[in-house]
Each structure stands twice: as structure tokens, then as C-alpha cells.
């Protein structure tokens, strides 16, 4: 018996080219579809023919990619523009920072100048405020030893070159051995007061200056048994309640020099000034007692007080008022002189004498 069979040989490399798809396609079979222009190569994926060279899809994809690329390029351009703007902004900020730093430096300089100005103003205000009302009468002996002061022993005033070079008032009191000087200050109101004095001590024995207040309280400005040159001393009383103060200085051995004595309100020492009702210049003295006008070149002075109206030559009274009469030591009349009902008229020449005329 002879067997026989039929085989179908399929070439996997065969590509069917036709207007219609091949029958009974196998998976992976290629078909060139000539029914379209240009022809399309398709492959059977087991379910359908899938175009392998889809130009439109590629074109669409390329178009999409091109559009995306354009958008990306636009985005890049935008980023570049933003970066440029940001750079410019940074540069502007840098410039502004430089300007700001310059302004800060200028401001610091102006603040420094302002502080300097404020310091200057403070100094000026302080200098203006250093002076104050002095409660001490004849506080540096510019009017001699007046009855404002009580003293014992030897006390005098001094206006020597040393005193003028070392004091504001150009005058001082000088206490000799075993001498004292004191003054009561009345009428102060409760508050804070500062007492100050500029002093010099030549002896090596005890000497002191103190103030008493509130009846029995005492504070020393100095209490020394050694010599010292011109020195400022002060003390502040923060609790004054009694209206009367007393300053007192004692010298056991010559000499203590006291100048620019000052009692003023407040907690700081003030620059010396005379009491409010006192004016002292080289030729004029005015205080609560009256007025004295002098001329050192002619040794003359005129004194007007509540007890006298007199003219002096050196220390001799030349004229004075005594109630309803004027007393003079010498009188010179250049012209006519009338006394009551009598007139004395000098002749043209001294040798001719004097006419005496009786008035009606």
C-alpha cells in the first residue's frame, strides 16, 4: 500500500502586493496595499492590518513635535527673558543696595553730626544753665566786710593778682589765725540746694567750711589740716525743709581764702553769680544797702544808702546830708551865691572884691 499526502509551503518572507488583503493571513504577514496612493505597508497583528509606514501619523507626530518644540523654544525664550529681567532686577537691586548703603553712610554721618550738634547744644545749654540765683549776700567780699557777715578774729578782703587769676569774682575773703566767718541765709523754700566755694589754704593746721540746715544737720565742704591751692568744693542738700541755712568757716592758723561762695537751688554746683540785688563793677557797687560810685584815679566816691548821702575823698567825708542841712568841708562857687535875702556877686576882677546885695 502506498501512502500519499499534500503539503502547503508558506514563505514567511513573502510580501503580498495587491489591492485587496490576502485571504487567511497569518500573524506577522506583510501586505502592501496598492489601493491607496502612495501604497501602504501593513502587517497582520492577529486581529487587523496595522499600517507600518503611516506617513500622516508620522507627519502629525512631527507636526506635534514641531509645535511642542516651538512651545518649548518659546518657553526657553520666556525663561531667557525672565532671567534677563531677573538679572536686571538683581543689578538694579545691587545698584539700589549701593545707593542704600551710600544713604546709610550719609545717614550715619548725619547722625554723627546730629549727635555732635546735640552734644554742642547740651554743652551750650549747660553753660547757660550753670548760673543761678545766689542766696549768699556779698558772697565774695566785693563790697568789703559788710554786715551781711558775722566774723571773729581777723577777716579782710583781697583782690590781688593771684585772687583775680583764680576766681570768677576777682575778690575773696581772707581769714587770719583763729578767725571765723559766717552768714545766715533766710527765706529758702523746701527743696534741694547746692553750696559751693572756691578756697585756698596756706596753713597746716585745721580749717573747715560747713553748712548747717534743718536746725541741727551739718555737712562739711572741707575739713582739712593740710595746705591746698585754689580748689572747688561743694555739697548738695537734698532734704532742706527749714527756711534758714547757715554757712560757717573757721581757720585755726593763717590763712584761708574764700571766694565765689554760692548757694543755689538744684543738685549741681552752679557758676558763681552775685545775689540778684547786687551789681559789682570796678567803679560801681549796688546792693541792698544802696549805691557806691567811685573813681580810683581821683580817690573820690559817692555813697547813697538808706543811712547816708555823702561824698568822700579817700576816706574823708567832704559833703553829706544831715536831715535838713548839707554839711560841706569846702565849697567853691564860680558865679553868684544867694543866701537867704543876701546875694554875693564877685567883681570882674578878684582885686575889686565882692558886691553884697540885699534883696527885697
Amino acid at each position: 500500500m502506498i501512502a500519499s499526502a499534500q503539503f502547503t509551503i508558506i514563505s514567511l518572507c513573502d510580501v503580498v502586493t495587491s489591492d485587496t488583503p490576502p485571504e487567511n493571513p497569518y500573524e506577522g504577514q506583510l501586505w502592501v496595499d496598492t489601493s491607496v496612493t502612495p501604497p501602504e505597508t501593513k502587517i497582520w497583528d492577529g486581529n487587523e492590518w496595522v499600517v507600518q509606514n503611516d506617513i500622516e501619523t508620522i507627519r502629525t507626530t512631527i507636526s506635534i513635535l514641531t509645535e511642542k518644540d516651538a512651545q518649548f523654544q518659546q518657553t526657553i525664550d520666556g525663561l531667557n527673558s525672565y532671567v534677563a529681567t531677573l538679572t536686571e532686577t538683581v543689578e538694579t537691586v545691587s545698584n539700589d543696595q549701593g545707593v542704600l548703603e551710600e544713604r546709610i553712610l550719609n545717614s550715619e554721618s548725619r547722625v554723627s553730626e546730629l549727635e555732635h550738634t546735640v552734644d554742642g547744644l547740651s554743652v551750650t545749654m549747660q553753660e547757660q544753665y550753670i548760673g543761678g540765683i545766689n542766696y549768699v549776700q556779698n558772697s565774695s567780699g566785693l563790697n568789703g566786710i559788710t554786715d551781711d557777715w558775722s566774723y571773729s578774729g581777723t577777716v579782710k578782703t583781697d583782690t590781688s593778682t593771684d585772687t583775680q587769676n583764680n576766681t570768677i569774682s576777682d575778690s575773696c575773703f581772707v581769714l587770719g589765725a583763729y578767725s571765723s566767718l559766717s552768714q545766715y541765709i533766710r527765706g529758702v523754700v523746701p527743696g534741694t540746694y547746692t553750696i559751693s566755694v572756691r578756697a585756698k589754704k596756706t596753713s597746716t593746721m585745721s580749717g573747715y567750711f560747713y553748712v548747717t540746715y534743718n536746725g541741727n544737720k551739718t555737712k562739711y565742704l572741707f575739713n582739712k589740716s593740710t595746705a591746698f591751692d585754689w580748689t572747688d568744693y561743694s555739697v548738695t542738700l537734698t532734704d532742706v525743709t527749714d527756711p534758714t541755712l547757715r554757712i560757717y568757716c573757721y581757720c585755726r592758723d593763717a590763712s584761708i581764702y574764700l571766694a565765689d561762695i554760692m548757694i543755689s537751688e538744684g543738685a549741681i554746683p552752679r557758676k558763681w553769680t552775685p545775689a540778684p540785688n547786687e551789681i559789682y563793677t570796678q567803679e560801681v557797687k549796688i546792693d541792698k544797702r544802696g549805691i557806691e560810685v567811685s573813681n580810683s584815679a581821683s580817690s573820690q566816691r559817692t555813697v547813697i544808702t538808706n543811712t547816708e548821702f555823702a561824698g568822700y575823698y579817700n576816706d574823708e567825708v567832704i559833703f553829706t546830708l544831715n536831715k535838713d542841712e548839707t554839711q560841706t568841708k569846702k565849697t567853691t562857687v564860680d558865679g553868684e551865691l544867694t543866701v537867704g535875702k543876701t546875694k554875693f556877686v564877685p567883681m570882674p576882677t578878684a582885686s575889686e572884691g565882692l558886691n553884697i546885695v540885699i534883696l527885697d
Side-chain angles (χ1 to χ4, degrees):
M1 179 177 203
I2 300 173
S4 61
Q6 183 177 355
F7 296 93
T8 301
I9 298 175
I10 300 172
S11 176
L12 296 176
C13 295
D14 290 343
V15 177
V16 177
T17 301
S18 63
D19 294 338
T20 61
E23 297 180 357
N24 302 318
Y26 53 86
E27 186 175 355
Q29 184 176 0
L30 295 175
W31 168 46
V32 177
D33 184 1
T34 58
S35 63
V36 296
T37 302
E40 295 178 342
T41 300
K42 300 180 179 179
I43 186 171
W44 182 258
D45 64 358
N47 293 312
E48 62 179 350
W49 293 99
V50 179
V51 177
Q52 293 298 301
N53 59 345
D54 190 354
I55 298 301
E56 292 300 324
T57 300
I58 294 175
R59 288 176 179 173
T60 301
T61 301
I62 292 174
S63 175
I64 292 172
L65 291 176
T66 301
E67 184 179 355
K68 295 288 186 182
D69 180 70
Q71 292 176 355
F72 182 68
Q73 186 63 42
Q74 185 177 2
T75 302
I76 291 176
D77 292 339
L79 288 174
N80 289 335
S81 175
Y82 177 75
V83 169
T85 302
L86 183 61
T87 302
E88 182 179 357
T89 301
V90 170
E91 291 176 352
T92 302
V93 169
S94 299
N95 292 335
D96 290 343
Q97 183 179 4
V99 173
L100 183 60
E101 289 176 352
E102 184 178 357
R103 289 179 179 175
I104 290 174
L105 291 175
N106 290 335
S107 297
E108 290 176 349
S109 175
R110 291 178 182 177
V111 168
S112 177
E113 291 176 0
L114 181 60
E115 289 176 349
H116 180 71
T117 303
V118 169
D119 291 341
L121 288 174
S122 300
V123 170
T124 302
M125 290 180 67
Q126 183 179 7
E127 290 297 328
Q128 293 296 326
Y129 190 63
I130 281 178
I133 296 176
N134 192 354
Y135 285 81
V136 182
Q137 302 294 320
N138 190 24
S139 53
S140 207
L142 284 164
N143 202 18
I145 310 297
T146 60
D147 58 5
D148 300 302
W149 295 94
S150 297
Y151 68 94
S152 65
T154 302
V155 180
K156 62 181 182 179
T157 59
D158 178 73
T159 57
S160 64
T161 301
D162 177 67
T163 298
Q164 293 182 13
N165 289 340
N166 290 280
T167 65
I168 298 174
S169 59
D170 295 335
S171 177
C172 71
F173 297 102
V174 183
L175 278 67
Y178 302 99
S179 300
S180 67
L181 182 69
S182 65
Q183 183 178 145
Y184 282 94
I185 292 89
R186 295 178 172 86
V188 299
V189 297
T192 298
Y193 293 83
T194 297
I195 298 90
S196 59
V197 63
R198 187 163 180 78
K200 181 177 77 168
K201 184 171 178 289
T202 60
S203 68
T204 56
M205 298 184 71
S206 63
Y208 49 81
F209 189 106
Y210 65 75
V211 56
T212 58
Y213 67 105
N214 291 352
N216 57 2
K217 288 189 176 183
T218 300
K219 281 195 176 183
Y220 284 84
L221 280 76
F222 65 82
N223 184 3
K224 294 180 178 290
S225 58
T226 57
F228 54 83
D229 204 354
W230 287 105
T231 307
D232 291 319
Y233 296 96
S234 65
V235 68
T236 298
L237 313 177
T238 59
D239 56 344
V240 174
T241 57
D242 192 278
T244 301
L245 307 176
R246 183 185 184 225
I247 52 177
Y248 182 88
C249 182
Y250 175 78
C251 181
R252 185 176 177 185
D253 193 11
S255 299
I256 289 181
Y257 295 75
L258 300 175
D260 304 342
I261 304 171
M262 185 86 174
I263 296 180
S264 59
E265 293 186 68
I268 61 173
R270 306 294 177 87
K271 185 176 180 181
W272 178 85
T273 58
N277 57 356
E278 297 176 351
I279 297 175
Y280 298 116
T281 67
Q282 187 174 1
E283 304 290 352
V284 178
K285 297 177 181 178
I286 301 175
D287 60 18
K288 66 180 182 180
R289 279 168 295 278
I291 301 172
E292 179 178 318
V293 181
S294 61
N295 186 335
S296 58
S298 61
S299 300
Q300 299 177 143
R301 58 191 176 96
T302 301
V303 178
I304 304 175
T305 68
N306 61 343
T307 59
E308 70 171 332
F309 178 14
Y312 289 80
Y313 175 68
N314 293 324
D315 291 328
E316 183 181 7
V317 179
I318 303 303
F319 72 88
T320 185
L321 289 180
N322 184 13
K323 296 183 179 179
D324 60 348
E325 66 180 19
T326 300
Q327 298 175 352
T328 63
K329 185 172 183 180
K330 296 178 181 180
T331 303
T332 299
V333 178
D334 185 12
E336 298 178 358
L337 173 64
T338 301
V339 180
K341 296 291 185 177
T342 305
K343 178 185 288 188
F344 300 89
V345 181
M347 299 300 290
T349 61
S351 60
E352 294 178 311
L354 180 71
N355 278 333
I356 299 175
V357 180
I358 304 300
L359 302 175
D360 292 336

